[in-house]
Amino acid sequence: MSLTKTKILAQVALIRESAKIFLIDTAVYLKRLSDTVVSGTVIQNFATPVTIQCRLIIRSGSVSDNIAAQPRLIEQQKYTGLFRMQVPYEVDIRAGDRIVYTDKMSGQSRLLDVIFVPAHNEYTGALVISLQEVL
């Protein structure tokens, strides 16, 4: 069987549609428009909030600081509140955008900054982004 581009894209479309069944949560998506500096303070400007379907994937993690040129610290890693989230392919999401996720069971809200978005091309089936909790 020969896989032509048309056949491959048809299969990708099926994968995208099938992936939507995993989007069991909702979140508020804020697209970052620009930054304004007022008296030395950066104020982030976001578009009108939009509710999107999603699936939060909790992933604790840590970040290592490059301490080669700095005084050695006792603790070189710290918990950063890293998460992954599956969102619909159609969402035009970029690093720097923000998501407000509220857990249905506990009612706890999390403010999350988008820190990584994988390549978004015609062959992408499901879109899983990386987030960091804003403390």
Side-chain angles (χ1 to χ4, degrees), residues 4-134:
T4 64
K5 183 175 180 176
T6 304
K7 289 179 183 178
I8 293 170
L9 292 177
Q11 291 299 314
V12 170
L14 287 173
I15 291 168
R16 285 183 193 148
E17 196 58 37
S18 297
K20 289 180 181 179
I21 65 170
F22 296 107
L23 304 179
I24 58 173
D25 297 317
T26 57
V28 176
Y29 167 58
L30 301 159
K31 183 163 199 61
R32 189 172 184 174
L33 299 175
S34 64
D35 292 342
T36 306
V37 178
V38 178
S39 301
T41 303
V42 177
I43 299 172
Q44 297 173 334
N45 299 306
F46 294 96
T48 305
V50 177
T51 301
I52 60 170
Q53 293 296 117
C54 66
R55 177 175 63 104
L56 184 68
I57 305 164
I58 296 176
R59 174 187 166 242
S60 55
S62 60
V63 170
S64 296
D65 296 325
N66 180 2
I67 60 171
Q70 301 171 3
R72 295 284 178 185
L73 302 174
I74 294 171
E75 186 175 318
Q76 296 179 10
Q77 294 187 337
K78 59 187 178 203
Y79 173 73
T80 58
L82 298 175
F83 298 87
R84 297 184 80 202
M85 180 180 280
Q86 180 183 348
V87 297
Y89 171 81
E90 297 80 20
V91 176
D92 180 25
I93 198 160
R94 309 248 184 247
D97 292 347
R98 184 164 279 174
I99 292 180
V100 179
Y101 175 81
T102 303
D103 187 284
K104 293 178 189 175
M105 298 299 288
S106 68
Q108 178 186 11
S109 288
R110 295 181 185 272
L111 186 59
L112 306 164
D113 279 342
V114 179
I115 58 172
F116 176 76
V117 178
H120 199 165
N121 61 47
E122 62 187 340
Y123 298 109
T124 302
L127 194 58
V128 178
I129 60 175
S130 296
L131 306 155
Q132 184 170 17
E133 189 166 16
V134 178

